[in-house]
Amino acid sequence: METILEITDLRVHFPGRGGAPVRAVDGVSLHIAPGETLGLVGESGCGKSTIANAAVGLLAPTSGRIVVAGTDIAGASPRVLREVRAQVQMVFQDPITSLNPRMTIGTAIGESLLVRGRAAGAALRARVGELLQEVGLRPDHADRYPHQFSGGQRQRVVIARALALRPALLVCDEAVSALDVSVRAQILNLLVALQARYGMAMLFVSHDLAVVRHVCDRVAVMYLGQLAEIAPRDALFAAPRHPYTQALIAAVPDPDPAVQRARVSVPLVGEIPSPANPPPGCRFHTRCPVAVSRCAVDVPALRSVGAAMVACHLA
Ligand code: SF4
């Protein structure tokens, strides 16, 4: 199978207080096909943003493989990483901190094209104008500075900058979380339209399942550094298999009353444990409303259940 991103047994551990490592990501494998959008969801601290940062080479993994467009970036040289970065770009949550306040947005958008020798002078300015139009802004906006735009417009600028090198993979880390609800929908629709136009793949990290449902083909659910479930979007929302996925989805009303009625309601209680001291057995057992005795001892393997892969003894 052709993939644009292939992550195998990824572990990202950080030094923790008291000597125990913080296991931010602890044995995650996933892939994204060209043109596909994979949603990565879970509560704050589950490791989803760590995976996003590792996928673009901003974080070195403790172990495991991260293959982007055929190149293993784990341990790659700066020269190789630089080449791969043309293939994979990132959109962060906060556009104001992603942009240099003293740089016009035209300069920011064109910088990667100029540095890589892809365009200069009038051709560069024309290309920046096209990119601005592609994200719903005007070519003459190029001479303005970030503070002269609204939050939604600034995120459009960041998306234009990310698209400049025509990446094969766009990694969006909570890319609409800081925006007003109405603006959020506009930016999501823009991302969906740009993806349809250019066929790029997306890794879409979000804590908001409604947002993920809107844009993703498949969804991976993370809990405490590991995958709980990964499934095609419609299968996941219609029939979530893992109790944690069920709890997350139960908190989001379904537009279809029949689906809403058929849902298994599993309330999620308690706080997510520390990734420096994860519970033994199934990491979810301390919060799972249907846990049985073996859950505190045996680690559930991720296995095929229908269209999904699920890590639960009872699925
Ligand atoms: Fe709950 Fe046990 Fe399944 Fe873990 S393995 S999700 S504790 S039932």
Side-chain angles (χ1 to χ4, degrees), residues 242-244 282-286 288-292 294-296 298 300 311-315:
H242 194 285
Y244 181 58
C282 174
R283 291 189 177 185
F284 188 53
H285 86 263
T286 56
C288 181
V290 294
V292 293
R294 71 177 288 210
C295 299
D298 295 342
C312 172
H313 296 308
L314 305 187

